[in-house]
Amino acid sequence: MKQFLLIFLIAISYSVTGQVGIGTATPVTDLQVEASTSLGPGEFNGIMVPRVSNIPSPAAPAGTIIYLDTVDGSNPIGFYFSNGSAYQNVTDLSSGTAAFFDSGTTTNATATTSEIFRSGRTRFGNDGVPASVVSIENQGALASEDRTTLSITNRHSSSALSSNTFSINVNNTSSARGNKVGINNEISSSGDGTHIGLNNLTEINSSSTATSYGINNNIDTGSTSAGTIYGIRTVSGNSTSTGVRYGIYSQAINDGSSNAYSGYFSGDRFAIRNEADTDGYELPTVDGTAGQVLTTDGSGNASWQNEADASATNEGVLTVDNSGVNTATITSNTTGSETATITGGNGITVSEVSNSITISPTIRPFSTIQLYTQHDGTGYVINNTSGQNINLTNAALEPTLYNSLGNIEIKMVVRYRNNNASTANFQLRSTTTTTDNFPITSSSAWTYSNTFDDGFGNTETIATSPWEPFNAGLSAQDIKLHSWVGSNNIALRNVYILIRSQ
């Protein structure tokens, strides 16, 4: 029977051009073989391809399949197929060249439930040379393509106690002497949307009473390192940034039944510094005592100090000392107190007698001499650019009326209308000379006020000289105004001299 079937197959191989069925009368492919349902002793279902003990050379046409039943050199037992130029092993039962092995072996991983491994680098999305064991790159460019490079979801459903779950568990146990990083996250500046380095959403079960953390960071829990350690270090912005920058922005919200801390700090020191880290202060980490106030020593250290008592009933002994002319000091012997100094000036005199401080006014009386007042609607016009003695401003003063030695102080006040003059210059001179022999000159520290209206829409200026010391002596002095402009002209309204004792 078997010989007949073989002869039959050989015969039809030369003449049959239709579909062939073995075990079926209605084949639907070029060759369809159906398994027999009644096998005799020594009979088996299946197809046996040609078996060889050596890999044929040259290779048969592409698509040819053979079975090597003995080891041939470096070729193990197994199925081989021809690609037209060489035979390639199909099963790789012992060569160890598969992409993944069962964990702990060199056996090819074939089951979808196997724990597998490989030792080479693995790349996804890009066939370039990666700088890591596993490299994933999303090269999408179209809106319809995937936007997420790696998505990890932990759907473990066990509710057993102490059954910790992790979406990502990272352990860096390397011994390199460079930077050792757990997670390195870099976001480029491309794109003008919101950039988020780490987006963390941690939801809490409403029935849970466990302590939960948005970020739980433990660093240096057991070393004796003398190096600087940062729990969290944030640098936001740069020296050319123009928008608002927050180093840390913290907001804590609840229903008000419990404390909500936007910041809670525990440590030996707490410092606040400016942006350049060149100034600031350190706050105390103790609460002080009732009634104390926070003070600074001016060198960056703040501390709790007793507030000065205005009644001085608990300030110990107060000592008053007149330490100089127009100055007195008050000193307490209480620890932590400071010396207070009272200094006179600007019409105030400070004196001390028998531990009593007297503060009294020293306003010196003065008198006024009118050098000029307007007699018509125009005023005295000055358009001289080199200087001129102003007629009608002659006057005299008697120094000994103010001081027996004739040592006086004088001040000049000039009101005028500015007719686009670039500058207006004034000085006091004798009526008999063209030289400057009085202390009020154009170089004095004059002040100008341009806020006056003459009632006709013209802005007027008041020029005031400082008080100038003048040791005039015992003789009367004749005086007059000397003035000039830089360009155009001015019109005088009023000129006054103020005199007082030194």
Side-chain angles (χ1 to χ4, degrees):
M1 176 65 183
K2 293 179 180 179
Q3 290 177 344
F4 173 77
L5 179 60
L6 176 62
I7 294 172
F8 174 76
L9 289 174
I10 293 173
I12 65 175
S13 66
Y14 289 98
S15 59
V16 176
T17 58
Q19 294 169 324
V20 177
I22 300 177
T24 177
T26 59
V28 296
T29 60
D30 293 338
L31 174 62
Q32 181 175 338
V33 180
E34 295 290 336
S36 174
T37 58
S38 58
L39 298 174
E43 294 181 342
F44 304 95
N45 283 321
I47 296 175
M48 183 174 291
V49 302
R51 291 180 295 176
V52 297
S53 57
N54 301 98
I55 296 297
S57 180
T64 302
I65 299 175
I66 60 175
Y67 182 81
L68 182 65
D69 58 8
T70 58
V71 176
D72 180 17
S74 61
N75 299 311
I77 295 173
F79 284 95
Y80 288 79
F81 73 93
S82 174
N83 60 11
S85 59
Y87 281 95
Q88 294 180 316
N89 188 299
V90 176
T91 57
D92 280 330
L93 292 178
S94 60
S95 66
T97 59
F100 291 91
F101 299 138
D102 285 330
S103 180
T105 72
T106 56
T107 303
N108 295 336
T110 57
T112 59
T113 58
S114 297
E115 294 185 8
I116 62 175
F117 80 97
R118 62 175 285 128
S119 59
R121 291 176 172 176
T122 303
R123 301 183 287 276
F124 298 91
N126 184 4
D127 195 28
V129 178
S132 57
V133 175
V134 177
S135 175
I136 303 175
E137 182 174 338
N138 186 343
Q139 299 188 77
L142 302 178
S144 60
E145 294 180 306
D146 291 333
R147 300 295 187 91
T148 302
T149 300
L150 177 64
S151 178
I152 299 176
T153 302
N154 186 342
R155 292 193 174 92
H156 198 286
S157 59
S158 173
S159 60
L161 292 176
S162 302
S163 57
N164 297 330
T165 60
F166 303 90
S167 290
I168 299 177
N169 188 19
V170 177
N171 287 296
N172 186 345
T173 60
S174 63
S175 300
R177 300 197 66 183
N179 293 336
K180 190 172 181 178
V181 181
I183 297 176
N184 185 35
N185 184 42
E186 296 183 7
I187 307 297
S188 74
S189 60
S190 301
D192 56 6
T194 300
H195 289 197
I196 302 175
L198 180 63
N199 190 26
N200 178 41
L201 175 62
T202 303
E203 298 287 4
I204 309 299
N205 192 313
S206 296
S207 62
S208 173
T209 58
T211 301
S212 300
Y213 305 89
I215 297 176
N216 186 23
N217 183 40
N218 293 296
I219 181 171
D220 191 38
T221 59
S223 82
T224 58
S225 170
T228 300
I229 306 296
Y230 296 92
I232 296 177
R233 183 175 184 269
T234 301
V235 177
S236 178
N238 57 75
S239 60
T240 61
S241 297
T242 58
V244 176
R245 298 294 184 269
Y246 297 96
I248 294 178
Y249 183 93
S250 175
Q251 187 176 21
I253 305 172
N254 64 9
D255 62 359
S257 61
S258 301
N259 294 329
Y261 298 96
S262 59
Y264 190 96
F265 303 91
S266 177
D268 292 335
R269 291 180 175 274
F270 182 79
I272 298 176
R273 308 288 294 175
N274 65 0
E275 180 179 339
D277 197 22
T278 58
D279 199 3
Y281 52 89
E282 289 195 9
L283 293 172
T285 55
V286 295
D287 60 0
T289 58
Q292 288 189 315
V293 295
L294 192 64
T295 60
T296 176
D297 61 0
S299 299
N301 300 301
S303 62
W304 297 107
Q305 299 291 335
N306 293 326
E307 185 177 9
D309 190 345
S311 65
T313 57
N314 63 346
E315 286 298 313
V317 178
L318 296 178
T319 302
V320 179
D321 175 36
N322 189 15
S323 59
V325 177
N326 222 22
T327 302
T329 60
I330 303 175
T331 305
S332 171
N333 66 349
T334 301
T335 301
S337 64
E338 296 184 359
T339 298
T341 301
I342 303 175
T343 302
N346 294 325
I348 301 296
T349 298
V350 176
S351 61
E352 178 273 328
V353 178
S354 300
N355 281 346
S356 296
I357 296 177
T358 301
I359 301 176
S360 57
T362 57
I363 299 175
R364 287 168 287 169
F366 65 89
S367 62
T368 303
I369 298 177
Q370 179 176 287
L371 293 185
Y372 176 80
T373 188
Q374 178 181 346
H375 296 287
D376 53 32
T378 303
Y380 194 104
V381 177
I382 301 173
N383 54 16
N384 192 301
T385 59
S386 60
Q388 68 183 94
N389 291 329
I390 307 304
N391 295 328
L392 305 179
T393 63
N394 299 338
L397 68 88
E398 177 56 64
T400 57
L401 293 177
Y402 307 94
N403 184 289
S404 60
L405 298 178
N407 297 329
I408 61 174
E409 291 182 346
I410 57 176
K411 174 194 286 283
M412 181 184 291
V413 179
V414 181
R415 180 183 177 187
Y416 63 93
R417 187 179 68 195
N418 190 341
N419 296 324
N420 298 318
S422 58
T423 58
N425 303 278
F426 308 101
Q427 64 184 46
L428 196 60
R429 284 187 176 180
S430 169
T431 59
T432 59
T433 182
T434 58
T435 60
D436 301 331
N437 59 350
F438 287 92
I440 297 178
T441 69
S442 60
S443 299
S444 299
W446 289 83
T447 59
Y448 298 87
S449 177
N450 296 317
T451 59
F452 299 91
D453 192 305
D454 64 357
F456 299 98
N458 300 311
T459 300
E460 295 194 350
T461 300
I462 292 181
T464 305
S465 77
W467 283 103
E468 298 283 10
F470 179 35
N471 297 329
L474 305 179
S475 301
Q477 302 286 329
D478 62 309
I479 55 176
K480 75 180 326 181
L481 176 66
H482 187 80
S483 179
W484 69 95
V485 295
S487 61
N488 295 318
N489 63 79
I490 63 173
L492 289 180
R493 299 301 195 193
N494 306 97
V495 182
Y496 297 93
I497 296 294
L498 282 61
I499 309 100
R500 71 184 183 187
S501 174
Q502 288 188 13

